[in-house]
Amino acid sequence: MSAINRTFRLAAIFLICVGIAGLSACKKEAGSAPAQRIPEVEVVTVTTQSVPDEPEFIGQTESSRPVEIRPQVTGLIKDRSFAEGRAVKKGDRLYQIDPVPFKAALLSAKSKVAQAEARLVQAKQNLARVMPLLEEQAVSQKDVDDAVAEELAAKAALEGAKADLVKAKFDFDNTLITAPIDGMIERTRVYEGRLVSAQTDLLTIIHQIDPMYVTVSAPESFLLKRRRDIAAKRIQHPGVYQLRGTIIFLDSTTYPHEGILDLLDVGMRTETGSRQARVTFPNPDQILVPGQFVTVRFKGTVKTEAILVPQRAVQQGPKGPVLYVVMADGKVEIRDVQATSWQGNQWLIEEGLHAGELVVVDGFQRIMPGIPVKPIPYTVAETAPVNQTTDTKTEQRK
């Protein structure tokens, strides 16, 4: 065998040995790989508790006493004495209707009363003269009857004159129009020189704004569910007229004064399918003005057996809020839930969850539905006092 052939044979044998050694090493390495670890997730155990139930509704402010100012007599506006859009006090001068014709009518009525009184005196004197003469048969019975009738007619004429005097005085006094209440006055609808008709023309409106009303509408679906919850004792309700209200403005600030629910409409409004309620708020600083849209949060009811979970546990699914729940077999399940409002930094879960279940709070990136997990207790303190209630809509505004 030549030297070249021997060299090729040795090289081939070497490569075969190297390949066999490499294959053995790979098999050994593959056999020593550790098994895949089960992911750990932090969970909380669902419990029930009593929390304040504070529903919110959109409401609109309105004056507690809007008073229309209309003339009681027909005449020309001679003067306007108020500044538009300002506060007025009860008894302040507002308008002056030309009083001259009404003063003349008043003086005429007074003179007619004086004339009627004089006729009555004369009639009484005539009757007093003829009565003794009748006993002496110096006058006839007809003369006496005429004297009695004259006295009665004089009395009737006096009463009529006094009635005309009252009407004339009423008209004259109402030529000066004053504010009937304290409040804020709108702009005037008429100006000097305008002829206004009695009880017809609207001159202006005064709004009493302390206290202030806020009217809210509760949907029928909410009222039906509330009635069912009360009947099932899931809600402790003190009674409609024991409820209190707080106002949240559009900038998420809170009005400093609480209001009292003092009116609930008897029936539903067919055009909206809702029932209106009125809450009365003190307004000493005139922060509230008529026509504002505000959010009213009602206080006084307590939800029993409520389920709260940390906010970070609630994820957004294609159909709404979802939770990752660890089942009894240790596998993860996605659960559709109804998360209605925030209590502090927790979600209030109305439906889809039960006491005793394990809810995943942390470790979502390591799991998917159907895989086994190792649950460990959630250690980060995220539970805030439940009396710090914040509705979802309020937080979204922030």
Side-chain angles (χ1 to χ4, degrees):
M1 184 181 296
S2 63
I4 296 175
N5 292 335
R6 235 183 352 260
T7 302
F8 279 123
R9 286 186 65 185
L10 290 175
I13 294 171
F14 176 76
L15 290 176
I16 291 172
C17 292
V18 171
I20 293 173
L23 182 60
S24 300
C26 290
K27 288 181 179 180
K28 184 177 180 180
E29 182 179 354
S32 63
Q36 185 177 3
R37 295 180 57 188
I38 297 177
E40 293 183 349
V41 292
E42 296 187 19
V43 299
V44 293
T45 302
V46 176
T47 59
T48 60
Q49 57 184 299
S50 296
V51 298
D53 180 64
E54 300 179 351
E56 295 184 358
F57 301 97
I58 299 298
Q60 189 171 20
T61 60
E62 61 182 52
S63 168
S64 59
R65 193 179 174 191
V67 178
E68 295 183 346
I69 305 301
R70 298 180 185 273
Q72 296 296 312
V73 295
T74 299
L76 292 173
I77 296 294
K78 187 176 181 180
D79 181 56
R80 174 174 63 89
S81 305
F82 65 91
E84 299 167 299
R86 310 292 177 83
V88 294
K89 296 292 185 181
K90 182 178 181 178
D92 286 354
R93 292 171 59 100
L94 301 180
Y95 296 95
Q96 176 67 64
I97 296 176
D98 189 0
V100 173
F102 300 97
K103 186 174 182 179
L106 177 61
L107 294 175
S108 176
K110 287 181 177 179
S111 68
K112 290 179 180 178
V113 169
Q115 292 174 3
E117 288 175 342
R119 292 194 190 97
L120 179 58
V121 170
Q122 184 180 11
K124 287 181 177 181
Q125 291 174 347
N126 289 338
L127 180 60
R129 280 194 295 268
V130 300
M131 288 297 293
L133 296 178
L134 179 62
E135 297 177 359
E136 299 175 0
Q137 296 183 349
V139 294
S140 66
Q141 182 64 43
K142 181 179 182 305
D143 293 332
V144 176
D145 293 342
D146 290 343
V148 172
E150 183 181 357
E151 182 188 24
L152 293 175
K155 287 182 179 180
L158 178 58
E159 292 300 321
K162 286 182 177 179
D164 292 340
L165 177 60
V166 171
K167 178 62 168 61
K169 188 175 186 305
F170 172 82
D171 290 345
F172 177 74
D173 291 343
N174 279 281
T175 58
L176 177 61
I177 301 175
T178 59
I181 62 170
D182 297 347
M184 302 293 294
I185 193 166
E186 290 187 4
R187 66 181 64 186
T188 182
R189 268 75 164 177
V190 299
Y191 296 91
E192 294 80 358
R194 167 77 177 272
L195 176 65
V196 293
S197 300
Q199 302 176 354
T200 301
D201 292 322
L202 177 63
L203 306 183
T204 188
I205 300 177
I206 299 176
H207 296 273
Q208 180 177 331
I209 60 175
D210 187 18
M212 181 70 80
Y213 290 157
V214 179
T215 302
V216 301
S217 296
E220 185 178 4
S221 57
F222 170 83
L223 298 176
L224 292 174
K225 185 177 185 304
R226 177 53 56 96
R227 188 176 295 113
R228 291 193 301 268
D229 289 343
I230 294 174
K233 301 188 182 304
R234 290 191 292 267
I235 288 180
Q236 297 176 357
H237 200 290
V240 172
Y241 295 108
Q242 301 300 319
L243 296 179
R244 309 180 310 278
T246 58
I247 287 178
I248 302 171
F249 295 111
L250 294 179
D251 61 355
S252 299
T253 58
T254 301
Y255 186 60
H257 303 286
E258 278 193 349
I260 300 296
L261 192 151
D262 65 348
L263 176 64
L264 181 65
D265 276 359
V266 175
M268 306 288 292
R269 291 184 174 266
T270 56
E271 64 273 14
T272 60
S274 61
R275 192 174 182 184
Q276 284 196 336
R278 186 183 72 193
V279 188
T280 301
F281 288 88
N283 191 30
D285 302 320
Q286 300 181 1
I287 297 176
L288 301 175
V289 296
Q292 281 180 283
F293 284 97
V294 296
T295 299
V296 179
R297 176 182 296 157
F298 286 95
K299 297 182 177 181
T301 57
V302 176
K303 185 183 293 291
T304 59
E305 298 183 358
I307 294 178
L308 300 177
V309 299
Q311 288 180 10
R312 63 187 303 171
V314 180
Q315 306 294 310
Q316 190 64 30
K319 297 181 180 180
V322 297
L323 292 173
Y324 285 81
V325 180
V326 180
M327 305 304 293
D329 58 1
K331 295 183 179 180
V332 175
E333 175 185 278
I334 290 184
R335 185 83 56 81
D336 291 325
V337 296
Q338 183 179 351
T340 56
S341 62
W342 288 1
Q343 299 278 345
N345 59 358
Q346 296 177 293
W347 272 107
L348 175 63
I349 306 300
E350 290 281 356
E351 296 180 2
L353 201 59
H354 302 91
E357 294 187 304
L358 300 180
V359 174
V360 178
V361 180
D362 196 10
F364 301 101
Q365 68 278 7
R366 299 189 296 271
I367 62 175
M368 65 177 55
I371 70 169
V373 295
K374 180 181 179 181
I376 61 174
Y378 183 58
T379 57
V380 179
E382 287 209 5
T383 303
V386 296
N387 59 355
Q388 299 176 359
T389 305
T390 306
D391 191 83
T392 308
K393 296 179 180 178
T394 305
E395 292 297 327
Q396 288 174 348
R397 287 197 297 267
K398 292 182 180 180

